[in-house]
Amino acid sequence: MSSARALLRRMFDAAVSAAQPAHCLPPHLPEVPKGRTIVVGAGKASAAMAKAFEDHWPGALSGLVVTRYGYAVPCKRIEIVEAAHPVPDTAGMAAARRILELVSGLSADDLVVCLISGGGSALLALPADGLTLDDKQNVSRALLKSGATISEMNCVRRHLSAIKGGRLGAACHPARVVTLLISDVPGDDPINIASGPTVADPTTCADALDVIRRYGIEVPVAITELLESAAGETVKPGDPRLARAETRMIATPQMALEAAAAVANEAGYAPSILGDAIEGEAREVGKVMAGVAQQVALHAQPLGPPCVLLSGGETTVTVRGNGRGGRNVEFLLSLAIALDGHPGIFALAGDTDGVDGQEEIAGAIVTPDTLARARAKGMRPRAALADNDGHGFFGALGDSLISGPTLTNVNDFRAILIDASMGSNP
């Protein structure tokens, strides 16, 4: 029997592999148009998507996509630009402006293929009229620390943008627009994947203003005026400029979880997918998951060991401490504290893009002796959690999960392995 650590890592790798553009994009190619084919896009997977598109497209094409620094993939006909994530920078802003220029003046015979994946909100950064990049950067930092959900953050981002919230799709009119999506959001709603640059937006400036006020986010006067005047309104459902726009979901968190479940089955562990859209404060989700795992271990409910509990989604972290953050490691640290060394329970949590928070670390692994090893080193788990320092905690134990750039992104992956026969042996 493989060790718990090795099995957890194989499941994570399977989840990531299932969302690789080289595998999931080719079946979704649109028909070759009479006119030109322009490829644009943004996200952590956009460069890998561009390469997959180039490799399988039978006709001529040109284009530009923007991805995170370190996530570029060499392409022959599509230009790849790198920019900052999660806080936007000038490179992303310049790329967004160039993308709008590329899709201007098209005809009804032309086709725009938009390659969108998680991370596109920051990478495709073009402030609305009257706003500056500095305004966008400050709001982004505040939102990331506020505890707001991804849908709430993206509602604000759409209404402060000159390209998101359907604006890119509208700019392509009258060309046909086909958006290929890799989902990193709970519910797989296209409006929340990279803040929906090519899809209609039913939310309003008033909704965005409500999010800002609800979380007590301080914003420049220019942002308040933009939202209160409705000058930042997005493209709405029924807009004729989006009549020829369609979306195709090519990879989702559910697909990744199903791939991991197959690996668990092959290893003799019964998999249970608890949900692909779990949200909430990471530390609170950790407590809940610990309770579920203990019920399984002690009472074989809702299933008995050996088994694996799988889940996905995007939790949030309200940053109050001075640590390095990361929602997956915060979840795991809270989980470990709640389990308190329960024998036979192991866990892995990681972001499928290879970056948990702003660290070049995907996540970490918990074993039954995690707390004991930490205390032997003089570490205080509860203090680390209070300081939002999950990365520091697991890094000191040598339990960080480091994958490097995965070139895709279907959000967070969590696996809790329960096997009483393993005891406390990691």
Side-chain angles (χ1 to χ4, degrees):
M1 181 173 55
S2 299
S3 71
R5 284 178 181 268
L7 177 55
L8 288 168
R9 181 58 191 260
R10 290 207 310 276
M11 287 188 285
F12 176 78
D13 290 343
V16 171
S17 179
Q20 286 298 329
H23 302 307
C24 63
L25 187 145
H28 299 278
L29 295 179
E31 302 81 11
V32 177
K34 294 180 181 179
R36 303 166 59 198
T37 299
I38 308 294
V39 179
V40 296
K44 297 173 186 176
S46 64
M49 294 171 80
K51 177 67 164 59
F53 190 89
E54 268 197 358
D55 288 347
H56 293 87
W57 187 246
L61 62 87
S62 61
L64 182 155
V65 303
V66 56
T67 192
R68 189 180 190 269
Y69 289 118
Y71 282 58
V73 175
C75 289
K76 296 179 181 178
R77 294 174 286 172
I78 302 171
E79 182 181 354
I80 309 298
V81 173
E82 292 182 313
H85 180 278
V87 178
D89 67 357
T90 55
M93 183 171 67
R97 186 173 288 113
R98 289 182 59 201
I99 284 173
L100 283 180
E101 292 170 354
L102 278 175
V103 302
S104 65
L106 298 179
S107 75
D109 289 333
D110 296 327
L111 168 69
V112 177
V113 177
C114 198
L115 308 175
I116 297 295
S117 61
S121 289
L123 295 165
L124 201 63
L126 189 61
D129 288 344
L131 302 185
T132 66
L133 178 61
D134 188 59
D135 292 333
K136 296 267 288 185
Q137 290 172 329
N138 289 334
V139 171
S140 293
R141 293 188 185 98
L143 284 168
L144 290 167
K145 294 181 178 180
S146 70
T149 66
I150 187 63
S151 61
E152 290 172 329
M153 287 193 282
N154 285 350
C155 176
V156 174
R157 289 163 168 163
R158 286 193 296 272
H159 290 91
L160 304 183
S161 174
I163 192 169
K164 296 188 277 283
R167 295 180 180 91
L168 174 57
C172 298
H173 180 76
R176 181 184 177 208
V177 180
V178 176
T179 301
L180 304 183
L181 295 161
I182 293 182
S183 173
D184 72 324
V185 299
D188 304 327
D189 188 343
I191 195 176
N192 283 322
I193 304 171
S195 297
T198 61
V199 296
D201 175 27
T203 68
T204 65
C205 283
D207 294 325
L209 196 58
D210 180 62
V211 172
I212 288 171
R213 289 170 175 167
R214 189 183 318 143
Y215 290 95
I217 297 171
E218 295 185 8
V219 298
V221 172
I223 288 179
T224 302
E225 292 177 346
L226 179 83
L227 297 178
E228 288 182 340
S229 68
E233 209 48 86
T234 49
V235 180
K236 299 305 175 195
D239 192 300
R241 294 172 296 173
L242 297 182
R244 302 187 68 209
E246 65 174 287
T247 60
R248 301 181 183 183
M249 200 72 64
I250 69 170
T252 66
Q254 178 66 19
M255 294 176 190
L257 292 173
E258 289 173 357
V263 171
N265 255 327
E266 290 172 3
Y269 287 78
S272 178
I273 297 178
L274 302 180
D276 69 343
I278 293 174
E279 298 181 272
E281 280 286 332
R283 62 180 63 190
E284 298 304 320
V285 175
K287 292 178 186 177
V288 171
M289 290 295 188
V292 174
Q294 288 171 316
Q295 185 73 9
V296 170
L298 296 172
H299 304 291
Q301 296 173 334
L303 75 168
C307 62
V308 178
L309 307 178
L310 298 167
S311 64
E314 183 165 341
T315 60
T316 54
V317 176
T318 302
V319 179
R320 298 185 177 91
N322 298 309
R324 292 153 59 190
R327 58 182 182 261
N328 287 289
V329 288
E330 178 128 340
F331 161 82
L332 286 172
L333 183 49
S334 176
L335 176 86
I337 292 169
L339 289 174
D340 195 25
H342 195 292
I345 302 180
F346 307 76
L348 176 151
D351 198 319
T352 54
D353 65 7
V355 180
D356 188 25
Q358 299 188 50
E359 293 284 331
E360 302 297 317
I361 299 170
I365 292 176
V366 162
T367 62
D369 64 348
T370 289
L371 297 188
R373 287 186 289 122
R375 288 166 180 151
K377 289 178 172 286
M379 299 162 60
R380 298 166 56 210
R382 292 184 185 276
L385 182 61
D387 201 32
N388 303 117
D389 196 25
H391 278 305
F393 179 87
F394 289 107
L397 294 178
D399 287 339
S400 295
L401 172 66
I402 301 175
S403 64
T406 64
L407 308 181
T408 191
N409 183 18
V410 284
N411 223 316
D412 297 339
F413 171 84
R414 295 180 290 270
I416 302 175
L417 184 151
I418 305 164
D419 186 351
S421 69
M422 285 191 173
S424 60
N425 180 18

